[in-house]
Amino acid sequence: MFTVPTSKRIGIDLGTANTLVYLVGEGIVLNEPTVVAVTAEDNRVVAVGKEAKEMLGRTPGNVVAMRPLRDGVIADYSITEAMLSYFIDKACGQSRFFKPEVMVCIPSGVTQVERRAVLDAAMSAGAKVAYLIDEPLAAAIGAKIPIAQPAGHMIVNIGGGSTESAVISLGGVVVHSSVRVAGNKIDEAISSYIRRKFNLLIGETTAEDIKIVLGNAVIEKGVKEEKETMDIRGRDTITGLPRSITLDELQVNEAIRPTLLDIIGGAKQVLEQCPPELASDIIDKGIVMSGGTSLLRNLDKLMTVTTGVPCHVAEDALLCVVKGTGVAMENIELYKRSIAKK
Ligand code: ADP
Ligand code: MG
C-alpha cells in the first residue's frame, strides 16, 4: 500500500519551566526543562533541555545556562528561536521533507509584541504554518473540561513563571487574569527566608527541592505528632563557608504563605469580574487547577478556603496544557475562533 506523506502537526507548550511537545497521532514525544546553555562570547547554543539544566549554576565562565522565558516573557529572541528549532527537529526527526504545522501555547498575559515574536520564532525554526493558543484554553481542553457548553467553567493554571486564571464559556475566554507569580516566586521566597533566618545562601535547585519535599499550603495542627524535616546545605553569608541546617515544614509554610496568597489573588480577581450567571455555574462545578505548582501539597485546600469555591487538581496536571494544545492542533476547525495564525 502506498500512503501519501503529509506534513506533521505538532503542539508545543512553551512553559517558563518546562517545554513539552505533542505530535498529532502519537501523543507527547518530548518533555524537557526550558533551559538553554550558550557561549558567553557569541551566544552560540551548546545545550538545550535536561542537559542544559544540569549546567545551571555550575557553568565555567565561557558558558551561560539560562531560562529564556524566565517570567513568562521572552528574554532573548534568538535563543528562543534556537530552542524552538531544536525541539521541532527533535520531535519531527532530523530529515524532514515537509515542514510541520506548529501550534504554540503561550501565557495569556504575553504582550502583542511577544506574541509576534513567538510566531516569528516558530516560522524561522522551520514551521510551515504557526498558530498560537492561549494557555487557559489549552489547559481547559487538556483537563477535559467541556468548554463548548454554554456554561461557565473556571481553570487556574499555575506553572513556574505565571498563574493564569480564566472563566471559559462557549469555547472562548470570558474573563481572565495573568499574574507573574507562581512556582519560581515560591522558590525565591524559600531562599530569602533561609537567608534571613539562618544567614545561609542556597541555590535555585535546592530551593525547588525544599518546596517539593516540605512545601505544604495547609498544615493541620495536631494531626501528626512529628513535623517533616529536611537537611539543607548552603553557604554561610558571614563566614563564606559551607554549612548545613535542618528545616521543617512549619518554617517552609511560613516562608511561602504570602506568595501562595498572591497566586490565589489572581483567581479571586477573575471571580470578582465574572458575570453572575457564570459565577453561579462555577460555584456548582468548582474550579479546576492545573500546572506543576497546582501539585503543591494542599494548595487546592487553601484555594477552596480562600475563595469559598470548591477546587480540585486536574488529572496529569503537568500535561494538561500540552495535551490541550495537541487536541486543538488536531481539531483546528473547532477551535479556530480562539487561535491566532501566521
Ligand atoms: P511552566 O508551564 O511555567 O513551564 P509547569 O506547569 O511545568 O510550569 O510547572 C513547573 C513548576 O511546578 C515549577 O516551579 C516546579 O517547581 C513546580 N512543581 C512541579 N512539581 C511540583 C510539586 N510536586 N509540588 C510543588 N511544585 C511543583
Ligand atoms: Mg505551563
Side-chain angles (χ1 to χ4, degrees):
M1 245 319 254
F2 177 74
T3 52
V4 181
T6 50
S7 63
K8 291 188 168 162
R9 287 182 291 164
I10 64 181
I12 303 180
D13 167 11
L14 189 60
T16 48
N18 298 298
T19 297
L20 293 86
V21 179
Y22 184 106
L23 190 56
V24 171
E26 281 191 33
I28 299 166
V29 291
L30 198 142
N31 182 354
E32 299 217 30
T34 311
V35 183
V36 181
V38 294
T39 54
E41 205 174 80
D42 51 2
N43 260 3
R44 202 167 37 80
V45 174
V46 290
V48 180
K50 287 188 195 83
E51 201 188 329
K53 190 177 185 193
E54 279 162 21
M55 297 179 177
L56 273 181
R58 292 201 181 94
T59 48
N62 56 348
V63 176
V64 200
M66 59 160 180
R67 299 179 181 276
L69 292 167
R70 189 87 232 182
D71 293 303
V73 290
I74 295 180
D76 187 309
Y77 175 78
S78 64
I79 288 169
T80 306
E81 187 196 311
M83 187 180 70
L84 272 176
S85 162
Y86 171 89
F87 286 134
I88 292 174
D89 278 345
K90 213 169 161 187
C92 293
Q94 289 293 337
S95 58
R96 36 181 160 90
F97 190 68
F98 292 100
K99 289 181 161 190
E101 290 178 47
V102 178
M103 184 178 294
V104 187
C105 174
I106 48 162
S108 57
V110 158
T111 63
Q112 282 304 325
V113 177
E114 290 166 347
R115 284 169 173 266
R116 279 277 111 200
V118 174
L119 279 175
D120 290 342
M123 293 303 284
S124 32
K128 179 171 80 177
V129 214
Y131 303 95
L132 286 184
I133 183 166
D134 276 343
E135 191 160 49
L137 204 64
I141 297 170
K144 302 206 178 88
I145 295 176
I147 59 164
Q149 287 178 356
H153 293 275
M154 181 159 165
I155 180 106
V156 179
N157 185 71
I158 318 169
S162 69
T163 298
E164 309 276 323
S165 312
V167 171
I168 296 171
S169 176
L170 289 166
V173 172
V174 183
V175 255
H176 77 89
S177 104
S178 171
V179 290
R180 288 185 177 181
V181 186
N184 295 340
K185 286 276 158 50
I186 302 178
D187 302 347
E188 283 167 26
I190 293 173
S191 300
S192 74
Y193 177 89
I194 293 175
R195 197 170 53 236
R196 266 194 334 265
K197 271 243 151 114
F198 302 95
N199 293 321
L200 196 73
L201 284 180
I202 59 164
E204 257 180 60
T205 319
T206 307
E208 187 179 12
D209 289 345
I210 296 171
K211 169 182 73 181
I212 291 174
V213 177
L214 292 184
N216 189 345
V218 182
I219 296 178
E220 283 145 307
K221 291 191 185 74
V223 173
K224 283 183 297 189
E225 287 284 296
E226 296 230 338
K227 287 182 289 204
E228 278 186 50
T229 63
M230 189 174 164
D231 292 329
I232 315 297
R233 274 174 291 178
R235 188 160 58 84
D236 192 292
T237 54
I238 296 156
T239 66
L241 298 173
R243 183 160 66 84
S244 78
I245 56 156
T246 302
L247 202 66
D248 70 52
E249 58 180 338
L250 285 176
Q251 292 168 318
V252 176
N253 177 269
E254 183 189 332
I256 66 178
R257 218 178 152 81
T259 315
L260 299 183
L261 294 176
D262 287 345
I263 290 175
I264 295 174
K268 279 174 113 176
Q269 274 177 28
V270 164
L271 284 170
E272 283 157 14
Q273 292 164 19
C274 184
E277 292 298 336
L278 297 181
S280 111
D281 294 341
I282 290 158
I283 292 167
D284 279 349
K285 297 192 183 75
I287 298 173
V288 178
M289 295 162 74
S290 63
T293 302
S294 72
L295 298 173
L296 187 100
R297 212 177 314 158
N298 288 329
L299 187 55
D300 51 345
K301 243 185 210 166
L302 184 64
M303 185 102 156
T304 303
V305 174
T306 334
T307 59
V309 180
C311 299
H312 71 273
V313 180
E315 198 179 311
D316 293 331
L318 274 158
L319 309 180
C320 288
V321 170
V322 75
K323 282 185 182 165
T325 308
V327 170
M329 178 81 255
E330 221 166 340
N331 304 285
I332 199 136
E333 280 304 307
L334 212 61
Y335 300 106
K336 66 173 181 240
R337 239 171 8 107
S338 318
I339 286 165
K341 181 181 171 190
K342 168 148 189 158

